[in-house]
Amino acid sequence: QLVESGGGSVQPGGSLRLACEVSGFPIDRSCVGWFRQAAGKEREWIASIYRPGGNTFAADSVKGRFTISQDNAKNVMSLEMNDLKAEDTGMYYCAAKRSQTSLYCNTGRMVGSYAYWGQGTQVTVSS
């Protein structure tokens, strides 16, 4: 089970921190990703983290602004979002899958490659 939290409304340039609590899913050799879906658009991958090693990967559109991290003790994956822009608006989802290697966690960015999904949390960036 994956449960997201932390969404909300913020002005451009602001920050938000999303959290994804993962339960009932093994930590070893797994990949947790964050996706977002803007109104009328397809769901897109934005970042992922390989567990338990902690290797992280991010889309070019968010590099330098978004940071994905993990708290193994609490089995929580976080997405720190800074310098938010209007185009970051959308529903944010976390997802999980088994991944034998960190390479696959990085290259396997397709929505269909993830088997488990949270319900999503809305992020709105507007002045």
Side-chain angles (χ1 to χ4, degrees):
Q1 183 180 8
L2 292 84
V3 180
E4 303 97 333
S5 61
S9 296
V10 64
Q11 293 185 340
S15 299
L16 282 173
R17 186 179 182 91
L18 306 183
C20 174
E21 183 172 359
V22 182
S23 61
F25 197 81
I27 292 177
D28 189 38
R29 296 191 177 187
S30 65
C31 182
V32 176
W34 282 96
F35 292 75
R36 70 182 175 198
Q37 187 166 19
K41 294 188 177 182
E42 293 186 352
R43 194 171 298 186
E44 62 172 343
W45 173 85
I46 53 175
S48 58
I49 186 165
Y50 181 68
R51 307 189 305 164
N55 307 67
T56 61
F57 314 98
D60 289 342
S61 60
V62 304
K63 274 182 182 176
R65 299 190 299 123
F66 291 12
T67 302
I68 187 171
S69 61
Q70 64 180 345
D71 181 341
N72 280 336
K74 297 182 179 180
N75 214 16
V76 174
M77 310 296 126
S78 297
L79 185 68
E80 180 76 29
M81 306 186 295
N82 298 312
D83 189 24
L84 283 161
K85 308 175 187 295
E87 52 265 39
D88 294 318
T89 294
M91 186 70 79
Y92 282 67
Y93 300 88
C94 70
K97 64 181 178 182
R98 297 306 301 269
S99 180
Q100 292 299 314
T101 66
S102 62
L103 176 63
Y104 179 62
C105 186
N106 183 26
T107 59
R109 302 176 179 182
M110 302 74 68
V111 170
S113 72
Y114 283 80
Y116 305 93
W117 291 83
Q119 82 288 350
T121 185
Q122 178 68 35
V123 171
T124 302
V125 184
S126 173
S127 56

